[in-house]
Amino acid sequence: APAPAPAPAPAPAPAPPGSYTLNWEAKGKTFFNGFQFLTGDGNHGASNFMSSYQEAKEAKVAEAFGSHAIIRAGSKSSVPFKRDTAKIATSKSWKHFLAVMKYSHVPYGCGVWPAFYTLGQGWPMGGEMDILEYVNDQGSMTSFHIGKQCKLDPKQVNKYRPMPDSNQFANNGSLYNCLTQYCATCTSLGCAPNVMPLYTGQQWANRPGAFAMERTARFAKIFFIPEGELPADLTGNAPDPEAWDKWLISYYPFADSPECPEPDDVMGPQQFILSIAFCGDWASKVWGQSQTCSTTGPTYNSTATEEKQKIPDPEGTGQCRAVDPLAEFAPKEDCCTQFITDEKGKYGTDSVLGSSAFFNISWFRVYT
């Protein structure tokens, strides 16, 4: 008699509500395969972004290994007033997701402007979430940017723990106002709820772990999980962020904020972007606010900066000022640009950046 047919396999148990499964991953020697190399510098700085992984690898700006990937500050560029570097964006975009980047080092240093962020189509209407962004030795803060009205409800923002708005002062006192317009005199810089204190790039580099972002139809959450605390659900590739609130560092309760209409549409599908930029609209402009940076490289002239006075012979006098590139083009006088490009090799910039200005990323995953 024929053998009886095997019993059908039981149907898999339905996934619990809110669970995530792996949708996309960058790791190992193919880490950069799912990324595009972007060349545009919207920050008007000293960055010469590589156009492909091959170019970046040849310039020693990016390299993928079996266990990790490196993105680093490169050499002085053949393009005047620039240094080679990289800005990479995922080839895919996601509307609702949980994304996690595990790292062992992030870039820092005077003149360095690193960022790990998301970007929707048609800035700023598509939304932008800055997960990690800072310049010089300033603290990194999470912030959200949108081109339409969206104010977060303060009570809801702070329901897990205090998260003051790091942009409140810059926004003329407007609290948790996500509307963003950039110009030389603008005071709409986006909302920035952050658990205090704000760590500098060097402090983050000394805190290896994972940054995560969860985006649902109702909210966005940003987490930092120290390396020694990575939960079993994450290491087992079945993450459950509902259990991660102790690691929450920034919260955006769009649906629970009456002054943020259409909460599911404040962010379109998002790409993830990693970059190391130099100088420009932020790092150059605030050079004099850092005691470390203002005593690094050429001699900082605070009077020329405050009075917006030209320095007639910056190379001959060895002086510089903090230049706002949105207001003028003066890279020869700009302290940050002079230090980052280090035309004569006087400041040891290559060595300084080589030891500090790099990402070391173990893996990057997106779950849906």
Side-chain angles (χ1 to χ4, degrees):
S19 67
Y20 288 92
T21 56
L22 185 64
N23 177 269
W24 183 93
E25 183 175 35
K27 71 171 186 177
K29 292 190 175 182
T30 60
F31 182 94
F32 292 102
N33 288 14
F35 288 95
Q36 305 164 339
F37 279 71
L38 308 181
T39 57
D41 181 10
N43 300 324
H44 314 100
S47 310
N48 180 45
F49 292 115
M50 303 291 96
S51 62
S52 67
Y53 175 55
Q54 188 61 36
E55 184 184 21
K57 187 175 180 181
E58 289 173 2
K60 298 184 178 178
V61 163
E63 189 167 2
F65 301 89
S67 59
H68 63 286
I70 298 289
I71 305 169
R72 64 168 68 88
S75 303
K76 178 189 170 299
S77 174
S78 57
V79 181
F81 311 117
K82 304 284 185 181
R83 180 175 282 272
D84 291 345
T85 185
K87 175 165 57 175
I88 62 173
T90 54
S91 300
K92 290 183 67 173
S93 299
W94 297 268
K95 174 75 170 174
H96 300 139
F97 55 83
L98 173 68
V100 188
M101 181 185 79
K102 184 179 181 297
Y103 71 92
S104 62
H105 192 276
V106 294
Y108 65 89
C110 290
V112 181
W113 182 347
F116 172 41
Y117 61 105
T118 76
L119 195 63
Q121 191 73 29
W123 191 94
M125 295 306 293
E128 173 190 344
M129 181 69 78
D130 295 316
I131 299 169
L132 189 75
E133 185 178 28
Y134 48 91
V135 298
N136 303 337
D137 54 4
Q138 292 193 3
S140 175
M141 67 181 188
T142 294
S143 59
F144 176 65
H145 309 276
I146 185 68
K148 59 185 178 182
Q149 179 63 34
C150 175
K151 288 184 76 172
L152 304 178
D153 182 273
K155 184 178 179 181
Q156 294 298 322
V157 169
N158 293 281
K159 76 176 186 177
Y160 293 100
R161 60 186 56 88
M163 295 185 188
D165 185 355
S166 299
N167 271 346
Q168 183 178 2
F169 178 78
N171 288 344
N172 272 349
S174 185
L175 189 61
Y176 301 118
N177 187 353
C178 306
L179 178 67
T180 304
Q181 296 171 304
Y182 290 144
C183 69
T185 57
C186 287
T187 55
S188 298
L189 303 185
C191 51
N194 284 271
V195 169
M196 294 290 117
L198 299 180
Y199 292 129
T200 66
Q202 185 170 5
Q203 289 172 321
W204 280 122
N206 292 329
R207 286 172 168 79
F211 284 106
M213 175 180 170
E214 183 183 21
R215 168 63 175 142
T216 72
R218 298 187 58 82
F219 61 78
K221 289 180 176 180
I222 309 296
F223 307 91
F224 167 68
I225 308 174
E227 187 173 55
E229 299 178 25
L230 295 178
D233 57 279
L234 176 58
T235 57
N237 248 355
D240 177 18
E242 287 191 11
W244 294 2
D245 287 338
K246 67 178 178 180
W247 296 304
L248 189 65
I249 59 171
S250 189
Y251 179 49
Y252 298 81
F254 300 123
D256 290 330
S257 300
E259 292 185 73
C260 189
E262 301 176 318
D264 193 27
D265 293 328
V266 294
M267 298 178 75
Q270 301 288 297
Q271 282 180 294
F272 286 86
I273 300 176
L274 273 164
S275 72
I276 303 176
F278 307 114
C279 304
D281 304 338
W282 188 8
S284 284
K285 189 165 64 174
V286 300
W287 187 266
Q289 295 176 17
S290 165
Q291 186 172 358
T292 300
C293 298
S294 63
T295 55
T296 297
T299 303
Y300 173 65
N301 187 324
S302 59
T303 302
T305 298
E306 291 160 12
E307 304 294 330
K308 294 184 171 56
Q309 297 171 347
K310 295 285 186 185
I311 296 176
D313 181 16
E315 188 173 336
T317 61
Q319 293 197 1
C320 66
R321 60 189 176 97
V323 172
D324 179 0
L326 281 176
E328 59 178 324
F329 179 73
K332 284 186 176 180
E333 298 177 49
D334 180 49
C335 300
C336 184
T337 305
Q338 285 194 39
F339 173 71
I340 284 295
T341 54
D342 196 8
E343 297 284 346
K344 307 289 187 184
K346 294 189 292 187
Y347 312 126
T349 305
D350 284 343
S351 175
V352 170
L353 297 182
S355 64
S356 63
F358 64 93
F359 281 105
N360 184 324
I361 303 168
S362 307
W363 45 258
F364 179 41
R365 298 171 182 157
V366 179
Y367 302 87
T368 54

